[in-house]
Amino acid sequence: MIYFDSAATTLQKPASVARQTAHAMSVMASPGRGGHAAAMRAADAVFQCRQLAAELFAAQPEQVCFTLNATHGLNIAIHSLVQPGDRVVISGFEHNAVTRPLYAIGAQTVVAGTELFRPQTTLEAFDRAVTSDTAAVIVNHVSNVFGYIQPIEEIADLCRERKVPLIVDASQSAGALSVRTDRLGAAFIAMPGHKGLYGPQGTGLLICTRLPKPLMQGGTGSMSAMQQMPSFLPDRVEAGTPNVPGICGLGEGLRYVRRRKPETILAHEQALKNVLVRELAPLAGVRLFTGSEGTQSGVLSFCIDGMDCEEAAAKLAQSAMAVRAGLHCAPLAHACAGTLESGTIRASFSDFNTPEECRLFARRVRALLTEKRSR
């Protein structure tokens, strides 16, 4: 199978991820729930993963909180900062993991930056939208639909100047782009473990530079006599038994990213995207969504004229080619790009894909076009 759906989940992972996940299941219990060897092994492994993440994202270990996924982390962050009626500024490319919690809270949501692959225009829109009465700014570092790299550091500077807290959705950037807590100064940075960090599903990280509001209440293995959640990190938002096997697998993914280096991974993914663009661009009836150098990650969305994107993806799947089609849980992004009615076909790459896979994929798209014309 040619797997081009890493913006959803990186299926191909370092072999050590599965090995360490299985190993943890056989020898580790739960951290903070005993002084015996199995519990202590778990505590050491969990802390090592926390340290690895802190080093990669320029944070302190205690600021690194484990979550189920980026959506879990974003919900913690949003509920920590936003009250009903609050004014919140978001980009035009946010995921439902941001827009649905804001809707449920009853926030006044202002959309800034709706032009695809126009970072300067995006920054100017945020400059106009972020006012002194803004409760929070929430920005998707990279669009999961189009791979648009938003000017996150400049937006962070703007928020810092105006003393407005920033939440960064690093779901598509963690592991490939620079995500530095000390540089962004964000209140919260949320990311999944199962995408660019090459960890298992059911893992995620929330980096907190301020004390969050707990989304769940429960046992933490600390301060058990108190009926309130602890007032310190990471315990404050880590209620219940942690996913030790998943965290151990995530640790191996982090080690892989650290060895390979995010900039190397990004360059590889962008090179693959460029190969596929060169292969598909000459094809009549194929519409590509591409940006200039430096504005797009290793994600390419496209449409085939006269063919439903879900139908096209299903036909590609019959040829053992995995892509994602539809609205990608981000209808706001599609509304901005003019694809809300049609959706797009999305090819997204990882460090384990090759140029030859891109060429084989393009051949199958050509075959789809030939089939369509022959009807």
Side-chain angles (χ1 to χ4, degrees):
M1 177 175 64
I2 293 177
Y3 187 81
F4 284 171
D5 196 20
S6 292
T9 295
T10 48
L11 181 64
Q12 300 143 306
K13 305 180 192 295
S16 59
V17 171
R19 285 199 304 268
Q20 191 60 26
T21 300
H23 177 70
M25 291 179 70
S26 63
V27 302
M28 295 182 194
S30 296
R33 272 75 171 177
H36 51 80
M40 296 308 294
R41 279 193 293 267
D44 289 343
V46 167
F47 185 68
Q48 286 175 21
C49 183
R50 215 184 293 275
Q51 281 186 309
L52 285 165
E55 291 168 8
L56 185 60
F57 301 113
Q60 297 302 312
E62 64 273 12
Q63 294 175 321
V64 177
C65 302
F66 292 111
T67 60
L68 300 173
N69 43 51
T71 298
H72 182 198
L74 286 166
N75 270 263
I76 293 172
I78 290 168
H79 281 84
S80 297
L81 296 179
V82 181
Q83 301 294 323
D86 278 352
R87 186 178 190 274
V88 179
V89 177
I90 66 173
S91 85
F93 298 92
E94 298 308 310
H95 192 277
N96 280 342
V98 166
T99 58
R100 283 179 171 172
L102 291 175
Y103 178 84
I105 289 171
Q108 177 193 349
T109 303
V110 177
V111 179
T114 59
E115 294 187 43
L116 192 55
F117 305 124
R118 297 285 300 277
Q120 185 57 40
T121 301
T122 296
L123 184 58
E124 290 168 359
F126 272 91
D127 189 23
R128 293 190 297 271
V130 179
T131 57
S132 59
D133 62 341
T134 303
V137 169
I138 308 174
V139 182
N140 186 322
H141 190 179
V142 176
S143 166
N144 70 304
V145 181
F146 302 104
Y148 171 34
I149 301 172
Q150 303 208 76
I152 192 64
E153 292 195 356
E154 292 83 356
I155 293 171
D157 288 341
L158 188 154
C159 291
R160 188 181 297 109
E161 290 168 6
R162 299 179 189 181
K163 297 181 171 52
V164 175
L166 171 66
I167 298 172
V168 177
D169 178 359
S171 294
Q172 302 295 330
S173 59
L177 278 79
S178 174
V179 180
R180 292 188 59 91
T181 306
D182 59 355
R183 173 67 186 87
L184 295 175
F188 301 101
I189 305 174
M191 62 192 75
H194 65 276
K195 299 183 192 286
L197 300 183
Y198 295 92
Q201 293 100 317
T203 62
L205 301 172
L206 179 67
I207 301 175
C208 309
T209 67
R210 64 170 62 190
L211 202 63
K213 179 181 177 180
L215 195 64
M216 296 192 302
Q217 318 286 328
T220 57
S222 62
M223 310 298 290
S224 294
M226 292 175 53
Q227 287 307 295
Q228 300 86 21
M229 290 295 287
S231 60
F232 53 86
L233 291 170
D235 298 43
R236 185 163 178 79
V237 291
E238 290 186 353
T241 301
N243 177 8
V244 173
I247 291 168
C248 289
L250 175 57
E252 289 302 309
L254 290 166
R255 288 184 179 93
Y256 175 82
V257 169
R258 188 171 67 172
R259 283 194 306 270
R260 281 284 289 159
K261 300 188 183 311
E263 59 269 27
T264 302
I265 294 172
L266 176 65
H268 176 72
E269 293 176 356
Q270 288 176 323
L272 294 172
K273 181 260 301 177
N274 291 337
V275 170
L276 191 55
V277 168
R278 287 194 296 271
E279 293 286 333
L280 295 181
L283 302 182
V286 175
R287 179 189 178 195
L288 303 176
F289 294 85
T290 59
S292 58
E293 188 70 25
T295 65
Q296 189 171 16
S297 67
V299 173
L300 177 66
S301 266
F302 65 97
C303 298
I304 299 174
D305 290 348
M307 181 175 286
D308 179 78
C309 65
E310 298 278 6
E311 177 191 357
K315 287 183 176 294
L316 288 166
Q318 290 171 6
S319 301
M321 298 189 179
V323 292
R324 175 90 183 268
L327 297 182
H328 313 92
C329 301
L332 185 60
H334 284 280
C336 291
T339 53
L340 185 59
E341 295 302 318
S342 64
T344 61
I345 305 159
R346 182 189 69 190
S348 53
F349 311 103
S350 82
D351 203 34
F352 291 88
N353 292 125
T354 66
E356 181 57 24
E357 288 179 325
C358 293
R359 288 186 278 270
L360 289 170
F361 180 84
R363 281 180 216 158
R364 181 55 188 140
V365 173
R366 287 191 201 98
L368 279 182
L369 290 167
T370 301
E371 290 171 21
K372 175 174 160 295
R373 293 188 192 107
S374 65
R375 289 177 188 169

